């Protein structure tokens, strides 16, 4: 492997095209985007070699100490320079990711982000080695003593558009060279094409236009007269359109919904004739000596636009749009946007074509990448989607994030206005120069690959930590939103590999497809992650179904969830703002890869009772000691017996093993083997630390165990009866009080007496008590028969199950699984309410495995 040979990647491309997620594009286009070996716009064949070459001297894997899950909620704003360097539908601010890296990794460790987007994880990995003073102080105040130093990051994403941005933020760029060459390009553009943005001031002198306001033109439904939306509806006193206005021809009062859009035949610079929404130039905004002015277009201004319409310019993408969810759903094709170049007016398209050609012609590959990173600001920012919003400070990039939308008022920005700004010292060009001047990027700290993360070209057990922010269901269609930018590069996302839910009839992709795709990526993350190490998954979705798919995929891959936290990014996307059910804070899921090799070395038989207890020991060692911030101590839900049992069962089922113990046997085993404090189970080595923390507070947060179903009812009874035996009469008032908190609609909870008779024993004073293990076996057998009899009734009934005993489902699924009767599990599972799966991850795991086995 010769990574120094510039032609090496070209020779490899024919073989690489068979890799999962290889983008759609010519060899020349892919090579033009790539900076091998650090970054390739296709699957990167140099990752394994890079891993060995960048290993720090003296790096010792044996020095790793498990830190446990990151157990603090995070709130980090998006105001930093790197975050704002380039627009993208979703991002996690790199200072937030730094907190996870500093918790889970050491200097020199390898971090993988398989859905890297704009590469914030790579930036965070490098910033850990060169933090700015403010971030350093904030993190040390939150986390205490941390090990600063560079981490190494492998970034992978399906989108070529995303990985180019990641390269721009993570690879070193010569900032002075960028400033010098970008200035030359603008000077060359001004010399040859600057006349397109010239206007005449009142004193007769020539001025440069900042932006032109275009208004959509409608037809009055009453008289058929012309309505220029800006003239009829815009209120200059409020700088907003009025909700109601009058037709200038017939004076009828109207609102925008009543207007009929016009679509006259228009000739584009590509020479095609289209019926596109009609827009008319209304105002020019320009500056003279730093003072802002505006005016209506005069004859000379209109003549310039007519001249532009006859231009011949460098080539630009004009391909027909493929099926795109938001484009199709919002009727863009009917409005005249069926090809890529239809999204720009003539002058904006000519400018973008000329400037793109100049940037793409740069011979130095790193500088070319930086210049295209800069020029990409014009792709959406100069399109017809850039809105005129006079209440905003600037009209740069005023498109709606995460959606295709052409408003009725458009601001056509000049290249200088977008790429330099009205204040050159603080505009976009200078901002990017500052990004690259202050960047912590080093040449051999980050490697970037473009392709599906169902195949990461890294060895088994080679990664120290995984941080991922995967696409979630149908929240955002990344490949759709990247299409315009990728069209200018000529390299497109491989959409069959994209993990989304898409109801577009032309390319349907439903929840099972999403689950399979995301699951294949998690399987790959599990393979490359070192045993005992951690993965953090950021989750942002309002759909229970998608949340369950993520949990199922994690468990199926072999990961075990240890904790869930909240991250507040303090700024919302368009969809988060307007959607009533949109999630505005993200969940952070902490999961780990169990170290099965430890069991093998100890001679523990897979699937045995010893293996179960070895797993529980490892799991308890991974859980936080308590919940809460400094000065607070709360119950850790994952340390309660029922949740430990769920995680253990899920682990066994994911490995296609039959759990060796019943619920009662498991509860008794946990009781005998592990110390219990405040109903939570610990390793003996953890007890002292928990007790010290517990002494610092008066009350335990959320100490009471509420009854939410049969399992928690039994746990509550065990908790009460372990303290001392009690009669039915003594238990009932407290039991009914706990029930006031409510049960799920489906839960058919037996009454208290039935629960006691099936699960506990009475002494000679009619007091119920927890049976010892020897007597519990017979009692457990009786309970199992009762539950299986109930489950058999569910199996023979038809239609949706509205009311049932959840514990009967557990018993029935477990028995059917042991008998390999997967059809039974699937048959009953498909008749259960969807909300149940959120509450019962153990049942979900049985059901998903059974579904896979039944195919």
């Amino acid at each position: 492997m010769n990574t120094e040979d510039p032609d090496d990647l070209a020779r490899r491309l024919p073989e690489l095209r068979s890799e999962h997620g290889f983008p759609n594009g010519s060899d020349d286009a892919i090579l033009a985007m790539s900076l091998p070996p650090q970054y390739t716009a296709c699957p990167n064949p140099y990752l394994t070699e890079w891993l060995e070459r960048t290993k720090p001297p003296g790096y010792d894997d044996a020095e790793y100490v498990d830190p446990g899950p990151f157990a603090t909620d995070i709130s980090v704003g998006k105001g930093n320079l790197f975050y704002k360097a380039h627009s993208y539908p979703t991002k996690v601010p790199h200072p937030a990711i730094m907190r996870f890296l500093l918790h889970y990794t050491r200097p020199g460790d390898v971090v993988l982000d398989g859905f890297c987007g704009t590469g914030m994880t790579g930036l965070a990995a490098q910033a850990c080695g060169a933090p700015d003073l403010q971030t350093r102080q904030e993190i040390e105040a939150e986390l205490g003593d941390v090990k600063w130093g560079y981490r190494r990051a492998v970034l992978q994403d399906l989108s070529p558009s995303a990985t180019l941005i990641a390269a721009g933020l993570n690879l070193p760029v010569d900032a002075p060279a960028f400033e010098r060459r970008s200035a030359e390009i603008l000077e060359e553009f001004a010399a040859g094409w600057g006349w397109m943005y010239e206007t005449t001031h009142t004193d007769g002198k020539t001025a440069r236009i900042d932006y032109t306001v275009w208004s959509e033109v409608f037809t009055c439904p009453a008289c058929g007269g012309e309505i220029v939306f800006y003239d009829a509806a815009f209120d200059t006193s409020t700088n907003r359109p009025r909700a109601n206005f009058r037709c200038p021809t017939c004076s009828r009062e109207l609102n925008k919904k009543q207007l009929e859009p016009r679509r006259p035949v228009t000739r584009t610079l590509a020479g095609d004739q289209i019926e596109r929404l009609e827009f008319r130039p209304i105002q020019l905004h320009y500056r003279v000596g730093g003072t802002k002015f505006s005016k209506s277009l005069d004859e000379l201004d209109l003549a310039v636009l007519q001249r532009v319409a006859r231009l011949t310019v460098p080539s630009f993408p004009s391909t027909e749009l493929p099926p795109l969810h938001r484009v199709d759903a919002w009727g863009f094709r009917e409005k005249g946007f069926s090809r890529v170049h239809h999204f720009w007016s003539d002058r904006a398209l000519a400018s973008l074509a000329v400037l793109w050609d100049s940037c793409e012609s740069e011979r130095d590959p790193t500088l070319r990448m930086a210049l295209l990173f800069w020029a990409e600001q014009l792709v959406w920012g100069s399109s017809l989607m850039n809105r005129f919003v006079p209440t905003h400070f600037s009209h740069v990039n005023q498109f709606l994030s995460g959606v295709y939308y052409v408003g009725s008022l458009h601001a056509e920005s000049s290249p200088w206005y977008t790429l330099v700004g009205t204040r050159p010292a603080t505009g976009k060009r200078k901002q990017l120069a500052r990004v690259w001047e202050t960047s912590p990027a080093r040449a051999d700290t980050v490697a970037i690959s473009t392709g599906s993360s169902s195949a990461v070209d890294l060895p088994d057990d080679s990664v120290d930590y995984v941080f991922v922010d995967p696409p979630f269901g149908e929240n955002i269609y990344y490949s759709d939103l990247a299409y315009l930018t990728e069209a200018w590069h000529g390299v497109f996302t491989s959409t069959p590999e994209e993990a989304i839910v898409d109801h577009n009839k032309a390319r349907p992709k439903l929840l099972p497809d999403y689950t399979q795709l995301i699951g294949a990526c998690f399987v790959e993350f599990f393979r490359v992650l070192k045993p005992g190490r951690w993965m953090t998954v950021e989750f942002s979705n309002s759909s229970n179904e998608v949340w369950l798919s993520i949990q199922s995929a994690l468990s199926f891959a072999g990961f075990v969830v240890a904790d869930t936290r909240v991250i507040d990014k303090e700024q919302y996307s368009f969809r988060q703002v307007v959607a009533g059910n949109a999630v505005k804070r993200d969940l952070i899921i902490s999961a780990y890869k169990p170290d099965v090799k430890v069991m093998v070395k100890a001679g523990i038989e897979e699937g045995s009772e010893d293996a179960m207890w070895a797993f529980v020991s490892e799991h308890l060692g991974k859980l936080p000691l308590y919940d809460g911030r400094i000065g607070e101590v709360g119950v850790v839900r994952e340390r309660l017996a029922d949740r430990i049992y769920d995680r253990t069962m899920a682990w066994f089922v994911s490995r296609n093993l039959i759990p060796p113990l019943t619920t009662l046997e498991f509860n008794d085993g946990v009781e005998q083997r592990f110390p219990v404090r405040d109903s939570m189970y610990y390793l003996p080595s953890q007890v002292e630390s928990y007790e010290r923390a517990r002494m610092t507070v008066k009350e335990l947060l959320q100490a009471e165990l509420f009854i939410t179903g049969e399992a928690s009812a039994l746990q509550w009874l065990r908790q009460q009866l372990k303290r001392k035996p009690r009669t039915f009469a003594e238990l009932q008032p407290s039991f009914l009080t706990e029930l006031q908190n409510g049960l799920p609609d489906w839960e058919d909870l037996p009454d208290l007496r039935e629960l006691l008779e099936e699960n506990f024993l009475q002494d000679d004073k009619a007091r119920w008590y927890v049976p010892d293990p020897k007597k519990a076996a017979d009692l457990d057998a009786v309970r199992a028969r009762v539950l299986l009899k109930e489950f058999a009734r569910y199996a023979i009934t038809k239609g949706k199950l509205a009311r049932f005993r959840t514990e009967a489902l557990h018993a029935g699924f477990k028995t059917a699984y042991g008998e390999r009767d997967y059809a039974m599990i699937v048959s009953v599972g498909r008749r259960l309410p969807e909300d149940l799966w959120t509450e019962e991850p153990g049942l979900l795991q049985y059901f998903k495995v059974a579904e896979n086995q039944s195919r």
Side-chain angles (χ1 to χ4, degrees):
M1 179 181 299
N2 185 1
T3 58
E4 303 301 324
D5 182 355
D7 298 322
D8 185 70
L9 181 61
R11 287 192 294 270
R12 293 174 176 273
L13 284 181
E15 178 184 352
L16 291 172
R17 284 187 177 275
S18 63
E19 296 288 332
H20 289 284
F22 191 96
N24 301 315
S26 67
D27 286 4
D28 287 343
I30 290 170
L31 292 170
M33 287 184 75
S34 302
L35 290 170
Q38 286 90 354
Y39 162 56
T40 58
C42 63
N44 192 329
Y46 309 117
L47 294 183
T48 299
E49 185 273 341
W50 173 87
L51 202 66
E52 289 300 317
R53 178 166 50 82
T54 59
K55 187 176 181 178
Y59 180 85
D60 187 358
D61 211 40
E63 295 178 358
Y64 173 78
V65 177
D66 188 349
F70 187 88
T72 303
D73 292 345
I74 293 178
S75 179
V76 175
K78 300 179 177 182
N80 70 77
L81 191 64
F82 295 93
Y83 190 94
K84 296 189 292 186
H86 204 300
S87 61
Y88 196 72
T90 59
K91 284 181 279 189
V92 180
H94 78 273
I97 304 175
M98 287 174 68
R99 287 154 167 83
F100 293 100
L101 300 186
L102 291 166
H103 175 80
Y104 285 113
T105 65
R106 304 162 298 156
D109 277 359
V110 177
V111 180
L112 169 65
D113 186 345
F115 303 100
C116 74
T118 59
M120 290 290 126
T121 300
L123 187 59
Q126 299 189 91
C128 286
D132 63 83
L133 181 60
Q134 180 180 347
T135 301
R136 181 174 189 134
Q137 291 174 341
E138 289 175 354
I139 290 178
E140 288 180 345
E142 293 175 26
L143 305 183
D145 186 27
V146 296
K147 295 182 178 179
W148 297 101
Y150 281 84
R151 277 66 171 163
R152 297 175 289 162
V154 175
L155 308 179
Q156 183 150 318
D157 200 282
L158 195 65
S159 167
S161 173
T163 55
L164 180 74
I165 300 173
L169 292 175
N170 281 280
L171 301 182
V173 171
D174 186 338
F178 164 75
E179 285 203 87
R180 182 174 59 253
R181 183 66 188 119
S182 59
E184 291 172 354
I185 288 173
L186 286 175
E187 288 172 4
E188 293 164 3
F189 179 81
W193 305 87
W195 57 267
M196 295 192 297
Y197 294 95
E198 291 179 351
T199 190
T200 304
H201 190 43
T202 53
D203 60 3
K205 293 182 179 179
T206 299
R208 178 178 289 167
I209 299 169
D210 284 338
Y211 61 91
T212 304
V213 179
W214 294 69
S215 172
E216 187 173 359
V217 182
F218 294 92
T219 297
C220 174
C223 69
E226 176 184 276
I227 297 179
V228 179
F229 184 70
Y230 181 91
D231 293 341
F234 195 79
D235 185 343
T236 55
S237 65
T238 63
N239 274 333
R240 298 178 186 274
R242 290 183 289 266
N244 297 292
F245 46 87
R246 294 191 179 276
C247 170
T249 303
C250 67
S251 297
R252 179 173 175 176
E253 185 171 310
L254 301 166
N255 60 54
K256 187 179 178 183
K257 291 182 179 180
Q258 295 173 299
L259 303 182
E260 297 174 1
R262 288 189 170 195
R263 288 191 286 272
V265 175
T266 302
R267 182 185 182 278
T268 75
L269 288 185
D272 56 334
Q273 303 281 337
I274 61 172
E275 293 183 5
R276 187 170 63 184
L277 295 177
E278 182 177 358
F279 282 87
R280 186 169 298 173
I282 300 299
Q283 274 187 345
L284 298 180
H285 291 253
Y286 61 98
R287 282 171 293 131
V288 176
T291 303
K292 296 180 181 180
F293 295 93
S294 65
K295 71 170 192 175
S296 299
L297 281 76
D298 56 33
E299 290 184 5
L300 292 177
D301 298 318
L302 294 173
V304 167
L305 294 177
Q306 292 170 359
R307 179 184 172 188
V308 170
R310 299 189 297 271
L311 285 175
T312 299
V313 298
S315 63
F316 49 80
S318 59
T319 54
E320 185 173 357
L321 295 178
L324 301 175
H325 185 91
R326 292 296 173 201
V327 167
D328 295 333
W330 291 43
F332 267 72
R333 296 178 203 280
E334 293 74 17
K335 296 175 182 178
F337 300 89
S338 60
R339 291 183 174 273
V340 171
H341 66 284
H342 294 167
F343 282 87
W344 293 269
S345 62
D346 290 343
R347 182 167 54 187
L349 183 61
S351 301
L352 179 52
V354 171
L355 288 165
W356 191 272
D357 182 67
S358 297
C359 294
E360 202 168 38
S361 300
E362 170 59 42
R363 299 184 65 179
D364 180 270
T366 303
L367 185 54
R368 180 174 64 244
M369 180 267 296
L371 291 169
L372 290 173
F373 186 101
W374 173 60
E376 279 188 357
Q377 314 294 322
L378 291 171
V379 173
W380 279 59
S382 69
S383 75
L384 288 165
M385 293 182 287
N386 197 56
R387 301 167 299 148
F388 174 58
V389 191
T391 54
H392 290 191
F393 171 75
S394 166
H395 284 87
V396 174
N397 291 338
Q398 289 299 332
F399 53 85
L400 291 177
S401 175
V403 66
Y404 283 86
Y405 175 77
V406 173
S408 293
L409 297 176
H410 162 55
E412 180 208 350
S413 301
S414 76
W416 293 274
Y417 187 74
T418 300
L419 297 179
V420 179
T422 57
R423 300 174 182 174
T426 58
K428 177 58 69 174
R429 180 168 158 269
K430 192 63 180 180
Q431 285 177 7
L432 292 181
R434 287 178 56 207
V435 163
W436 290 318
E437 284 171 352
T438 60
S439 172
R442 301 195 307 188
D444 282 333
T445 314
V446 173
I448 306 168
S449 177
T450 308
S452 171
S453 283
S454 62
V456 181
D457 190 18
L458 290 172
D460 294 353
D461 304 339
S462 59
V463 169
D464 298 284
Y465 174 59
V466 178
F467 181 94
V468 288
D469 178 14
F472 290 105
E474 52 188 320
N475 272 20
I476 293 175
Y477 300 89
Y478 290 91
S479 63
D480 286 12
L481 297 171
Y483 192 83
L484 295 186
T485 302
E486 291 178 354
W488 285 89
H489 290 285
V491 184
F492 299 90
T493 301
S494 174
T495 54
E497 297 280 350
E498 187 178 21
I500 58 170
V501 176
D502 191 350
H503 299 289
N504 192 319
K505 293 181 180 178
R507 56 169 202 191
K509 192 176 288 185
L510 303 180
L511 186 61
D513 304 306
Y514 167 81
T515 303
Q516 182 179 3
L517 288 165
I518 209 79
C521 297
F522 284 157
V523 167
E524 190 70 347
F525 300 157
F526 188 88
R527 179 186 69 80
V528 302
L529 186 63
K530 294 175 181 177
R533 303 301 176 91
W534 290 88
M535 176 170 75
T536 297
V537 181
E538 184 186 1
F539 177 86
S540 178
N541 195 289
S542 59
S543 166
N544 276 352
E545 286 186 326
V546 177
W547 168 233
L548 295 171
S549 294
I550 291 293
Q551 290 189 83
S552 175
L554 282 169
S555 185
F556 184 79
F559 286 103
V560 180
V561 175
D563 191 63
T564 303
R565 293 280 150 180
V566 170
I567 180 171
D568 187 348
K569 295 185 288 191
E570 295 186 348
Q571 185 171 325
Y572 306 138
S573 69
F574 168 74
R575 284 178 55 74
Q576 284 178 315
V577 171
V578 302
N581 64 343
V583 175
K584 296 180 175 63
R585 293 198 299 172
D586 295 354
L587 292 178
I588 290 292
I589 306 164
S590 299
Y592 66 91
K593 176 179 179 177
D595 195 349
V596 180
K597 294 179 180 179
V598 173
M599 300 184 195
V600 174
K601 289 180 181 178
I604 298 174
E605 181 182 355
E606 189 175 44
S608 66
E609 183 177 342
D610 287 341
M612 173 177 279
W613 296 123
F615 169 82
V616 173
S617 294
E618 181 180 10
H619 185 57
L620 292 177
K622 297 287 187 181
L623 302 179
L625 294 178
Y626 56 87
D627 198 3
R629 298 178 180 271
I630 297 174
E632 300 177 348
V633 175
V635 168
V636 178
R637 181 71 182 89
E638 294 289 339
R639 287 191 176 274
L640 301 181
D642 64 322
R643 186 55 62 87
I644 297 171
Y645 180 75
D646 282 343
R647 298 300 184 199
T648 306
M649 294 304 102
W651 165 246
F652 269 75
V653 173
S654 71
R655 299 180 64 79
N656 203 26
L657 300 170
I658 299 173
L661 298 179
T662 65
T663 307
L664 189 56
E665 290 169 340
F666 182 87
N667 286 338
D668 288 331
V670 168
E671 191 77 25
Q672 294 171 22
R673 288 172 171 79
F674 303 102
V676 61
R677 298 292 186 273
D678 298 312
S679 302
M680 297 179 288
Y681 291 89
Y682 291 89
L683 297 175
S685 59
Q686 297 173 324
V687 171
E688 183 180 350
S689 296
Y690 173 73
E691 289 180 339
R692 281 202 305 268
R694 182 68 175 84
M695 291 172 62
T696 64
V697 297
K698 294 180 179 180
E699 295 183 5
L700 183 68
L701 297 177
Q702 301 174 355
E704 290 299 321
L705 174 65
F706 299 124
I707 296 176
T708 58
E710 188 169 346
S712 56
L714 292 175
Q715 190 175 342
W716 183 87
L717 287 170
R718 286 176 64 87
Q719 188 182 84
Q720 302 300 314
L721 298 179
K722 277 171 57 181
R723 296 171 183 167
K724 67 176 182 177
R726 302 189 184 202
T727 65
F728 175 84
E730 291 171 331
L731 286 168
Q732 189 181 39
S734 298
F735 183 78
L736 294 178
T737 299
E738 294 303 317
L739 282 180
Q740 289 179 10
N741 293 293
L743 293 172
D745 293 340
W746 61 76
E747 188 65 50
D748 189 13
L749 183 69
D751 63 30
L752 175 59
R753 193 177 300 279
E754 192 174 350
L755 288 173
L756 290 169
E757 289 173 350
E758 288 183 9
N759 298 278
F760 303 94
L761 296 176
Q762 276 184 304
D763 61 16
D764 54 3
K765 297 181 180 179
R767 297 178 302 180
W768 295 96
Y769 64 93
V770 179
D772 64 52
K774 294 179 181 178
K775 295 179 181 179
D778 292 338
L779 192 62
D780 196 39
V782 172
R783 171 175 164 76
R785 286 197 297 271
V786 172
L787 293 174
L788 290 175
K789 183 177 180 180
E790 183 74 5
F791 179 79
R793 184 172 67 82
Y794 304 154
I796 61 175
T797 57
K798 295 181 179 180
K800 287 288 185 181
L801 289 169
R803 297 272 293 175
F804 46 82
R805 289 179 66 176
T806 307
E807 289 304 291
L809 294 177
H810 278 282
F813 277 20
K814 181 179 178 181
T815 299
Y817 178 80
E819 296 173 353
R820 302 295 190 245
D821 190 354
Y822 303 119
M824 173 71 78
I825 298 174
V826 172
S827 174
V828 175
R830 287 177 176 170
R831 294 159 51 214
L832 298 172
E834 292 179 357
D835 289 348
L836 169 74
W837 304 120
T838 305
E839 304 292 333
E840 299 292 338
L843 289 177
L844 175 66
Q845 186 63 24
Y846 278 120
F847 178 66
K848 289 298 183 181
V849 171
E851 269 194 326
N852 290 330
Q853 294 290 344
S854 299
R855 289 172 182 163

